[in-house]
Amino acid sequence: MLCTLCPRLCAARRTGTRGDGRCGMPSLPVVARAALHHWEEPCISGTQGSGAVFFSGCPLGCVFCQNGRISRGHLGKIVSVERLREIFLSLIAQGAHNINLVSPTHFAHAVGEALREPLGVPVVWNTGGYERVETLRALEGRVQIYLPDLKYADGALAKRYSGAPDYFEIAAAAIEEMVRQTGPYELGEDGLLRRGVLVRHLLLPGALENTKAVLDYVARTFPPGTVLFSLMAQYTPQPGAEGLLARRITGAELRAARAYMESVGITAGYTQDIEAARREYTPDFDLTGV
C-alpha cells in the first residue's frame, strides 16, 4: 500500500513486513502489549480494566512521549488481522469493559477490518489527535468511544515538540468529526462510558497559555453535555529532555490550569492531582497478550 492514512500524507510504501513512512511501520499491525489496563480515566478503566492494545510506531512522534520504546523504538510483534481480532476477544474473555486501541491511526485499515463484526463491548480509539477526517469516516459505526489528545493550540509549540505545525487545525477537525459520529457522551449506571468523546490534554511545563487556548476552544465549540474533558498532570521528563521539558509541572501551573478550566465552564470530566507527575504510567512493553 501507498499510505495516506495520517495527516502526514507521506504516501510511503508499506508491505506486510516493512514500511518507510513517518511511522516506520509495515501494513500489518505491530502490537507491543495487550492486557487489562487500570490507568485510564475511571469511566474507561472501571473496576475490571480496559482491554488495552498498544500499537507500535506513531505518525506524530512527540519528543516527550512516555511510550517512546514503542512509538519511536518500534518494539513489537507483527500480527495478522485474524490474530488481532483474537486478541480483542481474549481481552473481553478476561473481563475487559472495552477494547482500547492505543495509537492505532497508522493501522486504521487493518483495525477496521478486524472490527467488521461487532465485539459486544465498546471500542475505544485512543489517539494523539492527529487524524485525517477521511480515515475516521471509514471507521464510522465500528468505534463507539473516541479518546483523543488535544495537545496543542499553539502551532509553534506543536512544531517544536511534534514536528506538526498544523496540529491544532487537524486535531480540531478530527475531534469535531468524532463528535459527529458518536453524538453526546453517554455514561451507564455503572459510570462507564458507553459512547462519546473524551478529550485529553496534557499540561506541559511552561506552556500554560497553550493549555488555556485548548480550554477556550473546547468551551466555545462543545456545549455542556457534549464531550468529557480530562486535564492531565502526569508529564514526566524523558531521557535527554532539555529546557522546560527537563522538569515536571509545578503545583502553581496545575492550580492555574484548573482554575481556568472552571472559569470557562468545563466541569464534566477529570483532573489529575500533582502526585500524578510522581507516578510512572508506562506499562511493561513485553509482548504480553500478543
Side-chain angles (χ1 to χ4, degrees):
M1 65 181 289
L2 297 180
C3 187
T4 56
L5 288 172
C6 89
R8 302 286 186 187
L9 297 175
C10 65
R13 185 175 298 278
R14 298 172 66 189
T15 69
T17 57
R18 64 170 296 168
D20 299 320
R22 174 69 178 239
C23 67
M25 288 287 103
S27 60
L28 285 174
V30 182
V31 180
R33 179 181 174 86
L36 296 180
H37 192 62
H38 298 275
W39 299 344
E40 308 287 28
E41 286 78 3
C43 66
I44 301 293
S45 291
T47 57
Q48 297 170 196
S50 178
V53 180
F54 289 86
F55 293 95
S56 301
C58 178
L60 201 50
C62 306
V63 297
F64 52 80
C65 181
Q66 290 181 233
N67 294 345
R69 288 185 66 205
I70 62 173
S71 64
R72 292 192 296 273
H74 296 176
L75 173 72
K77 179 180 178 182
I78 296 175
V79 300
S80 67
V81 171
E82 293 75 19
R83 174 57 187 154
L84 185 61
R85 186 170 176 87
E86 288 175 358
I87 290 171
F88 297 163
L89 295 175
S90 174
L91 291 168
I92 294 169
Q94 293 172 48
H97 293 300
N98 46 60
I99 294 300
N100 184 355
L101 309 171
V102 185
S103 298
T105 305
H106 44 301
F107 297 119
H109 59 300
V111 172
E113 188 176 344
L115 295 174
R116 193 172 297 276
E117 297 296 326
L119 292 175
V121 299
V123 173
V124 182
W125 194 261
N126 185 340
T127 166
Y130 199 58
E131 302 274 352
R132 287 192 73 201
V133 167
E134 294 82 357
T135 299
L136 294 173
R137 285 178 180 159
L139 297 166
E140 188 163 4
R142 301 181 189 187
V143 173
Q144 290 72 48
I145 298 169
Y146 284 101
L147 190 59
D149 290 337
L150 187 51
K151 298 176 185 290
Y152 314 104
D154 182 330
L157 207 63
K159 180 179 181 180
R160 186 184 316 146
Y161 292 158
S162 300
D166 59 351
Y167 177 89
F168 177 71
E169 293 79 9
I170 295 290
I175 292 170
E176 288 167 32
E177 169 63 18
M178 294 170 185
V179 173
R180 183 198 67 78
Q181 287 187 24
T182 68
Y185 68 86
E186 300 174 9
L187 293 168
E189 293 183 2
D190 55 4
L192 291 173
L193 188 57
R194 302 299 187 196
R195 186 176 186 85
V197 177
L198 194 167
V199 179
R200 286 172 160 171
H201 175 72
L202 177 65
L203 181 60
L204 295 172
L208 183 59
E209 293 307 310
N210 176 63
T211 293
K212 289 180 177 180
V214 165
L215 291 166
D216 284 339
Y217 163 76
V218 172
R220 71 171 179 265
T221 306
F222 304 110
T226 305
V227 302
L228 294 168
F229 188 86
S230 180
L231 179 66
M232 299 188 296
Q234 68 190 51
Y235 173 78
T236 304
Q238 298 303 296
E242 299 177 349
L244 290 170
L245 293 185
R247 69 167 175 85
R248 300 178 188 272
I249 65 167
T250 65
E253 287 172 323
L254 179 57
R255 288 191 295 273
R258 281 177 166 172
Y260 196 81
M261 180 175 167
E262 183 178 351
S263 74
V264 297
I266 299 176
T267 57
Y270 308 91
T271 61
Q272 289 180 321
D273 59 36
I274 196 65
E275 291 305 312
R278 307 290 185 260
R279 296 193 293 266
E280 179 56 68
Y281 280 82
T282 304
D284 292 327
F285 297 120
D286 54 5
L287 303 184
T288 292
V290 181

